[in-house]
Amino acid sequence: MAGVIWVYAELNDDRITTTTLEMVAKAAEAGKAEAVLLGPAPEDAVQTLAKYGATKIYRSADPIYREYLTLPAAETIAGLINTFKPAVMLFASSYTGRDLVANLSARLDCGAISDVGDFKLKDGSVEATIPALGASYQNTSTLVSQGTKLLLVRPKSFEPEISEQAVAIEEVPAASDDGLRKVRMKERVTVKREGPQLEGAKTIVSGGRGLKGEENFAMLSDLAELLGGAVGATRAAVDAGWVPYAMQIGQTGKTVKPDLYIACGISGAVQHLSGMKTSKTIISINKDADAPIFQYSDFGMVGDVFKIIPQLIEELKKRQGG
Amino acid sequence: MNVVVCGKVIPASSVTIEIDSNTKRMVRKGVPHELDPAAASAVEEALRLTEKHGGTVILVTMGISDATIGIRNALAMGATSAVHILDEAVAGSDTLGTAKILAAAIKKQPFDLVICATESSDSYSGIVPGQIAYFLGVPPVTFAKEISVAGSTIIIKRQSESGYDLIECALPALVAVSSGINEPRYPQLKGIMAAKKKEIKVYTAADLGLAPDQVGENGAREKVLTVGRPAKRQAGKVVTDEGDGGKQIADFLAEIKVI
């Protein structure tokens, strides 16, 4: 249907994710927003979606969607798309979102656009803006297949603006075929995170390969504490096992947009830049004067992080004390 | 247990990748190539599993002739043989076209498990593995941090937003591994010598039964309309530390009223 934009409503820790709400708000602005909400959800989930502009929710509370990954949800969504034919369906660029879009784009033979930063409806199709190769290009793409257009949307692309709507709920039958029960969730393990969280932090101090080891993240914590911020990391630092994945900023980690971002020993790989380049002010410290990170920095310091950061910490203590 | 690894050979990490504004594709010809580090992790994982449980490791890749160097690298690490889809007709494929081609090539190999990187290090779309799984008719498990085999079932530790999930999945299956899953081995001289004698099968799209309108630019559902450069951030200043770098940063923080 022309102008109808669906959003796959994703839950994390029993809450509708922020990216979902950002997408619903954008859908409501660009057309008529509707959402698909599958699996057990908290009581206020429907109202939350309505608050950001959803006018209709396709809903099944069946536990199959929580107990088995990807296949049951893809089956149900494919059926709904074939019946109701929305113009566009939006998914968050998350673990679940990517899995569903992969399956649906193959099943419906319609393709998909990944890593969308913005989009508009145009001439019966969609025109999406994609920050390609991390940050160095800004391309636009469209989908030439018939039917519903599937987009994977980057977190923090849109403002989660409130526009309260009256909402209708359409109960949908749950997927039940045994063939869909192939990927079973045995257990969800929560890894406890220490210190302030990246989400919502006004200041982020982040470390990369140049930090050389786990123990050196301590000085970043000290710096972050002095500035009332949180500590992040690049994929290289996470892959090396120095810090947990929850701290990863970048394409496969978190997308952040703090007021101040201090990049320490980070060269500025495409993977990392795409997760932080819209920060308001960026300061970077790196020993390599040619590191790409400097092109994105408001203030760049070429030098040794192990000398500069301790000096900065001392200086901040001195100034804050005085 | 026979494993097919699906991985990419990409412009070397030392190369700044450019997009050609005419073809709207990445410039791949004439630049040095290497096995994508993410694909090397997938090869490593496959080797570890077959060293423990027996079976073959076959690398399936699609790319230009320069990809051979990366294929040899995977063979030198220990992969049994390789399949190279080498055909001008597949250039310009979108994710869906790529997945159709790779799935068609994988179907010709013996496999219980397909291992992919979660995403390539050059284009990062992250949806090709799931699309391949659909075309193969096997269940997908992505973002795997650890794989263990228990008979005809695999247990996967899968990255989650708040920690990890333990996933159980029946074989045959497709698993996409995150690059931190292991430290890929460096090929040894013996492996490099042996790799020279290993088979690299070359296929075209037609060999795989794919029509010209299914692959390449003609088959692509996604069309790139424009290639542009984003508005640059206003250039900031870059200075070299001469002993007072920390103090200078503190001054800058005071200037922008953070402290």
Side-chain angles (χ1 to χ4, degrees), chain B residues 24-222:
Chain B
K24 303 187 176 70
R25 298 178 197 160
M26 284 185 204
V27 178
R28 298 188 184 279
K29 284 188 180 149
V31 299
H33 275 63
E34 66 184 16
L35 183 65
D36 182 351
S41 287
V43 172
E44 177 64 36
E45 202 57 28
L47 292 172
R48 290 184 192 186
L49 288 172
T50 53
E51 278 158 8
K52 203 164 168 187
H53 303 280
T56 56
V57 175
I58 301 178
L59 174 75
V60 174
T61 194
M62 173 172 124
I64 61 175
S65 57
D66 291 347
T68 311
I69 186 169
I71 297 172
R72 291 281 172 211
N73 188 54
L75 295 174
M77 285 173 72
T80 317
S81 65
V83 170
H84 186 180
I85 301 134
L86 176 62
D87 188 350
E88 274 297 325
V90 305
S93 294
D94 64 352
T95 56
L96 191 65
T98 303
K100 284 178 185 170
I101 297 161
L102 291 169
I106 294 167
K107 275 185 186 166
K108 287 177 171 277
Q109 321 306 321
F111 74 90
D112 304 293
L113 179 64
V114 177
I115 303 183
C116 302
T118 287
E119 56 179 8
S120 62
S121 307
D122 61 347
S123 43
Y124 294 111
S125 76
I127 58 175
V128 173
Q131 291 171 328
I132 294 173
Y134 179 81
F135 291 125
L136 292 176
V138 301
V141 185
T142 54
F143 295 98
K145 288 156 63 95
E146 206 177 291
I147 307 173
S148 51
V149 180
S152 59
T153 310
I154 45 174
I155 306 287
I156 291 114
K157 229 182 187 185
R158 180 184 196 251
Q159 188 70 58
S160 73
E161 310 284 347
S162 48
Y164 63 89
D165 298 330
L166 283 179
I167 309 287
E168 185 181 67
C169 181
L171 292 172
L174 178 145
V175 176
V177 298
S178 46
S179 59
I181 191 169
N182 56 41
E183 188 63 46
R185 67 193 68 182
Y186 283 105
Q188 303 298 318
L189 184 63
K190 203 174 144 204
I192 294 168
M193 297 309 288
K196 291 181 179 168
K197 297 197 193 88
K198 289 180 178 172
E199 185 188 18
I200 303 178
K201 274 187 216 151
V202 177
Y203 291 139
T204 62
D207 294 340
L208 298 170
L210 291 160
D213 64 346
Q214 287 179 289
V215 299
E217 211 153 271
N218 293 332
R221 302 290 187 268
E222 181 183 0

Side-chain angles (χ1 to χ4, degrees), chain A residues 233-248:
Chain A
T234 65
R235 190 173 85 178
V238 173
D239 283 354
W242 300 341
V243 289
Y245 173 78
M247 284 168 63
Q248 186 174 318

Side-chain angles (χ1 to χ4, degrees), chain A residues 99 105 109 137-138 140-142 144 184 186-187 189 191 239 245 252 277 280 298 300 302 311 319, chain B residues 19 100 119 131 142 158-159 164 166 168 179 221-223 225-226 228 233 237 239 241 243 246 251:
Chain A
D99 284 354
S105 62
D109 201 25
Y137 285 89
Q138 178 126 323
T140 56
S141 271
T142 190
V144 294
R184 189 170 77 86
K186 274 170 69 96
E187 194 185 345
V189 180
V191 177
D239 283 354
Y245 173 78
T252 37
K277 73 174 170 86
K280 201 169 148 206
D298 298 278
V302 181
Q311 188 182 68
R319 296 189 193 195
Chain B
I19 300 177
K100 284 178 185 170
E119 56 179 8
Q131 291 171 328
T142 54
R158 180 184 196 251
Q159 188 70 58
Y164 63 89
L166 283 179
E168 185 181 67
S179 59
R221 302 290 187 268
E222 181 183 0
K223 296 271 186 237
L225 298 171
T226 59
R233 284 181 81 95
K237 56 178 174 180
V239 298
D241 178 30
D251 291 343

